[in-house]
Amino acid sequence: VQLQASGGGLVQSGGSLRLSCAASIRHFSSYAVGWFRQAPGKEREFVAVLNWRESQIRYSESVKGRFIISRDNPKNTVFLRMNGLKSEDAAVYYCAVGAWPLTTAISPRYWGEGTQVTVSS
């Protein structure tokens, strides 16, 4: 089982990034997929989740309206489009796979390696 996240980097405040997470998980399309993030000195927090058939979606209040989660089941990949990035969005972002609703850090069955997002002012 492997979840490989990519797409992080350095971006100016107000800019955009798209994170990707490629999964080698059996029955990937039957799981909910999500993103969490962890800033230095803080706990890992929920960012966004999408259920297996893309009929249910949730975002944290801090990213609602700016971030978009999506998935490509045939390619076993989940994405996070991040727009209007702010300094407080800077963190290591982790993709996660598990059962819905997947909104707490203890929920995921599988975790990906993190990808760093840095926002400069």
Side-chain angles (χ1 to χ4, degrees):
V1 172
Q2 186 176 17
L3 292 173
Q4 185 66 49
S6 62
L10 173 64
V11 63
Q12 286 190 329
S13 179
S16 298
L17 282 175
R18 190 179 81 153
L19 305 183
S20 300
C21 180
S24 59
I25 296 174
R26 289 186 65 187
H27 309 302
F28 171 81
S29 61
S30 66
Y31 288 104
V33 294
W35 291 92
F36 290 74
R37 66 187 182 187
Q38 188 166 18
K42 295 187 177 181
E43 294 185 351
R44 191 168 297 188
E45 65 173 2
F46 163 75
V47 174
V49 62
L50 180 63
N51 76 333
W52 67 279
R53 58 178 179 176
E54 303 181 71
S55 59
Q56 292 179 286
I57 189 167
R58 294 183 187 177
Y59 295 98
S60 68
E61 287 299 319
S62 61
V63 308
K64 194 176 294 183
R66 299 187 296 122
F67 289 13
I68 300 171
I69 186 172
S70 61
R71 66 191 296 168
D72 185 338
N73 283 337
K75 295 184 178 178
N76 280 17
T77 304
V78 57
F79 304 97
L80 185 68
R81 176 69 178 181
M82 305 185 295
N83 300 315
L85 282 161
K86 306 174 182 179
S87 58
E88 53 263 44
D89 294 319
V92 177
Y93 282 72
Y94 298 90
C95 56
V97 174
W100 179 265
L102 206 67
T103 53
T104 65
I106 62 171
S107 301
R109 182 171 182 177
Y110 306 107
W111 284 104
E113 296 181 0
T115 184
Q116 177 73 50
V117 172
T118 303
V119 183
S120 64
S121 57

